[in-house]
Amino acid sequence: MAHALQHLHTFALNNQCQNFVEITHLDQLKTQSFTLPFCLLGEGSNTVFLNDYLGSVIKMATKGVKINERENDYLICVAAGENWHQLVSHLLDKNIPGLENLALIPGTVGASPVQNIGAYGVELAKFIESVEYFDIANKAMMTLTNEQCQFGYRDSIFKHALKNKAVITQVYFAIPKKWQPVLSYGPLQQLATITPRAVFDQVIQTRNSKLPNPYILPNAGSFFKNPIITNQQLADLLKSFADLPHYKYGQNHHKVAAGWLIDQVGLKGHRVAGIEVHKQQALVLVNHGNSEGSDLITMIRHIQHTVFAKYNIVLEHEVRLINKDSECQIYGEPA
């Protein structure tokens, strides 16, 4: 039976799916049909349905947070359907800091390892001890260690070898008792008093000043990944663009700011139908309505082409784009 998708993903394109299932108890997974096509969904904050979806949308809505104190850290077991920001806030209230740089990132806990969410100098992988998932083929619960998750920048095994094969059910976080603030990003360096609560509040203030609330103005958050380029590429670019923001990423690479690139090519405020490059933050695309998936694809390709023409950098979208029956990638230029 057809089900509206507009309120199930924060970009809010007006499409439908053929079937919608909400998982509130893990027992449901054993009887759930996983015939392709199907799409696993949390709060839909990093997913856009470009068309009517010809399959089942399966939303993880399980709840529960368990805290176990160990000698040097806390082991936090969290159900997949819990809201991410509420978890960060809840742990801070319990005097268990560590995740505050990741405050206000929209979405569920179960979706967070897939993307290896990150912000303000911190990646989630730093805190994950293990991830429990339901193996669709074997109808059994399995657990992966941090290393087995193959975390990378906005990446994990759940996007590759385990794509459409696993449903994340619980995430185990190891939060050290000794708090070590990460203050490498601009606004955090200005803090007069360095406490977990101060970092938390500053991250929220910064995000609110830059990023539109998706429940007021539909958007999918940061739309493009920050490109990772070689040290040599960076050196060449800095000859022409001395103010290009860049951050060291490992020994041989740097990460550059995708939002800055989009802003510098003059695309803030650019519109295709009701889709616009946000006027305050060029990394965010917003949906004013009366738009279709084809309009979004046109916008993505235009941004990719324009940035590539000036900087010779290929932008990849961070947001999951779901076509009629599968996830798809939009490439504006050959890599």
Side-chain angles (χ1 to χ4, degrees), residues 4-12 20-23 39-49 57-63 78-87 104-112 114 117 213-215 218-221 319-320:
L5 288 168
Q6 190 167 12
H7 301 298
L8 290 175
H9 71 303
T10 60
F11 203 78
F20 173 71
V21 180
E22 190 168 56
I23 304 292
C39 174
L40 296 170
L41 199 66
E43 291 179 0
S45 57
N46 193 53
T47 300
V48 177
F49 291 94
V57 171
I58 301 167
K59 178 181 169 71
M60 287 299 289
T62 52
K63 301 292 182 186
V78 189
E82 289 284 348
N83 175 273
W84 172 259
H85 175 70
Q86 287 175 11
L87 173 69
L104 218 60
I105 293 178
T108 59
V109 169
S112 63
V114 179
I117 58 172
N213 184 328
Y215 300 103
N219 70 85
V319 174
R320 281 200 312 166

Side-chain angles (χ1 to χ4, degrees), residues 74-299:
Y74 294 94
L75 180 66
I76 321 288
C77 171
V78 189
E82 289 284 348
N83 175 273
W84 172 259
H85 175 70
Q86 287 175 11
L87 173 69
V88 177
S89 182
H90 174 67
L91 292 179
L92 204 53
D93 289 343
K94 297 257 182 211
N95 200 26
I96 304 175
L99 302 177
E100 52 284 335
N101 291 54
L102 307 177
L104 218 60
I105 293 178
T108 59
V109 169
S112 63
V114 179
Q115 190 75 354
N116 184 18
I117 58 172
Y120 301 105
V122 174
E123 285 190 348
L124 184 67
K126 175 181 175 184
F127 295 102
I128 288 181
E129 178 157 301
S130 60
V131 176
E132 179 192 273
Y133 70 92
F134 177 74
D135 184 297
I136 290 170
N138 299 321
K139 292 193 179 297
M141 292 296 180
M142 309 284 282
T143 301
L144 294 180
T145 63
N146 181 300
E147 191 177 3
Q148 289 170 325
C149 289
Q150 297 174 18
F151 290 120
Y153 172 56
R154 301 294 182 271
D155 204 19
S156 72
I157 193 172
F158 299 103
K159 284 188 167 186
H160 303 286
L162 289 180
K163 187 174 178 177
N164 291 333
K165 295 178 181 176
V167 182
I168 292 174
T169 51
Q170 297 193 100
V171 184
Y172 290 82
F173 301 95
I175 313 286
K177 287 183 176 177
K178 189 176 188 313
W179 181 62
Q180 290 186 304
V182 178
L183 307 170
S184 52
Y185 272 61
L188 299 178
Q189 293 174 0
Q190 319 303 324
L191 286 175
T193 311
I194 298 168
T195 65
R197 181 67 63 179
V199 173
F200 178 80
D201 290 342
Q202 183 62 57
V203 166
I204 289 173
Q205 185 184 329
T206 303
R207 287 186 77 92
N208 280 333
S209 69
K210 287 185 173 184
L211 302 169
N213 184 328
Y215 300 103
I216 296 171
L217 179 55
N219 70 85
S222 299
F223 209 92
F224 296 94
K225 295 179 185 178
N226 288 323
I228 294 168
I229 61 175
T230 65
N231 293 346
Q232 185 57 55
Q233 281 175 290
L234 176 68
D236 292 342
L237 280 165
L238 288 174
K239 290 173 190 171
S240 303
F241 310 104
D243 50 352
L244 170 65
H246 54 278
Y247 310 93
K248 197 164 176 56
Y249 194 80
Q251 288 301 306
N252 305 313
H253 294 84
H254 276 76
K255 197 188 289 182
V256 295
W260 186 90
L261 299 174
I262 298 166
D263 188 5
Q264 292 298 303
V265 294
L267 288 178
K268 266 187 185 169
H270 178 73
R271 277 181 83 137
V272 176
I275 294 168
E276 180 186 40
V277 180
H278 190 50
K279 291 184 177 74
Q280 273 77 49
Q281 171 53 275
L283 198 52
V284 176
L285 304 183
V286 298
N287 175 20
H288 294 286
N290 299 315
S291 307
E292 297 181 355
S294 56
D295 300 319
L296 179 58
I297 291 170
T298 299
M299 173 67 90

